Amino acid sequence: MSAQSRQGPSLGGPGRGPGGGPPGMGMPVQKAKDFKGTLKRLIQYLKPHRVKLIAVFVAAIISTVFTIVSPKILGNATTKLFEGIMMKINGVPGAAVDFQYIWQLIMILAGLYVISALFAYIQQYIMAGVSQRTVYDLRKQVNAKLAKLPLKFFDSRTNGEILSRAVNDVDNISNTLQQSLMQLITSIVTLVGVIVMMLTISPIMTLIVILTLPLSFFVTKSVATRSQKHFASQQKALGELNGHVEEMFTGHKVVKAFGNEQKSIAKFDEINEELYQSGWKAQFISGIIMPLMMFVGNIGYVLVSVVGGLLVTKRAIEIGDIQAFIQYARQFTQPISQLANIANVIQSTIASAERVFELLDEEEEVPEAENAKRIASPRGDVRFENVKFGYKDDSPLMKQLNIDVKQGQTVAIVGPTGAGKTTLINLLMRFYEVNDGKITIDGVGITEMERGKLRGLFGMVLQDTWLFNGTIRDNIGYGREGAAEREIIHASKAAHADHFIRTLPDGYDTILNEEASNISQGQKQLLTIARAILADPAILILDEATSSVDTRTEVYIQKAMNELMKGRTSFVIAHRLSTIRDADIILVMKDGDVIEKGTHEELLAQTGFYADLYNSQFTGGSLQQEVG
């Protein structure tokens, strides 16, 4: 599952809605379940920066005020110019335009614009630092939290969901703090300032402008209702198209092998057509709002011009005041549109913050024991004493599990799918906590040890290989920090990996890509076995480590593993029972309990569940399906 972006809609600019659409338009916005509570908690992250935020607020006020005053000064210049021209027309002796006065006003305007830009820069600079520091701290908390969460948290959620919360949701918060918060402050200050300036010019004209607002909101609401369903259909179709493309390109070899290219293309065309129909309807209907808003706005301008003209004739206001007022009227709608956009963004951001806080509030692993014990020279004696465990409290999987494994013994664990084989290993490594009972290693309870020290006793070779993007040398060296070159090569030779590594163009310096798809599955397994050999652990855990290699390679690996297992306690989760005939103990598990225990020969002689499992693998019986 790929992580889906949960970022909120972007601000499309003045008078535009999310994603550049009209105010209040765009994709349906994800809403938080507890808006107020989440907002209060998010504000707590800003408290350490309150001095800087106050500076941002002051800078925003100064920058915006200087911008707001400018039309009034420009109106004074227009009035002075108009008066000079009218006196000339009327033949007033010595009449002339006072260009010196106008020039002074222009210089004052230029100075105001420079000061406004300077404070806008200061505002942006401080806010960038506040937002990035806040998100930096939040990311650290999320990362630290993920390291403390138990395995059951990751087992119950997809990788995409966890990535979405840790990356996309945090980025959404970052973008809002950086852009929307600052724009929110500026929009509020602008709105208040513009109303004040309009009132100083003419309360009557101000009332006319304000009365056009309900008509604007009515138009916006009417169009939004009609377009919202199309935006929802657009997002649904887009999700289906992304899923189809990802699925088809991920499995393109299978699609081609079965000759289903045309079927895949037809499906793509069907979804693409649905996306086209929804997309153009959504964009067309939402696009109607701007002409309608301009129409409503122009009605307001006409009324302002008519009333303003009457007031000028009565000498209630100056001609330049009308010019300034029209500019203010245009500025008046801009912050309202921006606030509508920001409201959507904030809704999405609080929803993202809520998802991040849900992650931070998840129940953590049981705290480490005080005065934790450490096994200086581990032997590998493992004991399960009356262990009780269930993933749910009311559904126990293991009821009274007792196992006693001595140093150097090889323990094979077999049983049908869901019997508890992997669960047993997870309990041993303390990925899950037992509900009751005790697990000890060399007589020390695993809960009395630090998890890191406990897990350092184990070496794992799993059926599903895990290699990271890096050199082959680094991947093998991952088994033990600070391993020397000769030790890495020795481990590779023991795992019969040295030969194939040296045949690669760059040998041990060969870079494995993100999915290690530039080497074969068998070669991947050889590298993970070399890593386990390098780790030199006291206890080995093998989950059918040779299942992904060919027969000849399996023989080599089995020899290497037999050598590695000498003197070490080994737990082998077996799927092919033919590979565990020489195990010292075979534990047969079913429904979370060990129902049979003994050597291969002893269990066959009992003609019980193990004998049925073993025989079914060679006779093709129905029980073969049960083997995990």
Side-chain angles (χ1 to χ4, degrees), residues 99 101 134 150 157 217 221 225 295 354 375 388 452 478 520 552 601 620:
F99 285 108
Y101 176 76
T134 301
R157 290 165 179 80
F217 285 126
K221 182 67 176 175
T225 304
F295 174 74
E354 187 173 63
I375 302 174
K388 181 181 178 181
Y478 195 81
S520 71
R552 183 181 179 188
E601 289 75 15

Side-chain angles (χ1 to χ4, degrees), residues 279-347:
W280 86 259
K281 287 176 184 177
Q283 296 299 331
F284 172 73
I285 295 175
S286 65
I288 294 174
I289 197 168
M290 283 313 295
L292 291 176
M293 289 286 286
M294 290 176 64
F295 174 74
V296 172
N298 287 334
I299 291 175
Y301 298 147
V302 169
L303 293 173
V304 165
S305 299
V306 171
V307 174
L310 291 173
L311 293 174
V312 168
T313 58
K314 295 180 179 180
R315 296 194 174 276
I317 60 174
E318 301 292 344
I319 187 70
D321 289 336
I322 298 178
Q323 175 203 317
F325 194 92
I326 290 175
Q327 284 185 272
Y328 286 132
R330 290 185 180 277
Q331 288 184 5
F332 178 69
T333 57
Q334 179 178 321
I336 293 175
S337 300
Q338 289 176 340
L339 288 172
N341 293 340
I342 294 167
N344 279 345
V345 175
I346 289 176
Q347 283 277 10

Side-chain angles (χ1 to χ4, degrees), residues 12-34:
R16 306 294 291 169
M25 301 297 297
M27 298 177 291
V29 178
Q30 184 187 8
K31 295 185 178 180
K33 290 172 281 188
D34 180 16

Side-chain angles (χ1 to χ4, degrees), residues 87 90-96:
M87 284 192 295
N90 294 330
V92 177

Side-chain angles (χ1 to χ4, degrees), residues 32-51:
K33 290 172 281 188
D34 180 16
F35 183 91
K36 289 184 179 178
T38 305
L39 179 60
K40 286 180 181 178
R41 187 168 175 180
L42 186 59
I43 289 173
Q44 295 298 317
Y45 284 84
L46 295 172
K47 274 193 173 181
H49 309 288
R50 51 180 168 266
V51 174

Side-chain angles (χ1 to χ4, degrees), residues 199-225:
L199 286 171
T200 60
I201 294 173
S202 171
I204 296 174
M205 290 196 294
T206 304
L207 182 62
I208 292 171
V209 171
I210 292 175
L211 287 176
T212 62
L213 283 180
L215 184 58
S216 298
F217 285 126
F218 174 75
V219 170
T220 302
K221 182 67 176 175
S222 300
V223 179
T225 304

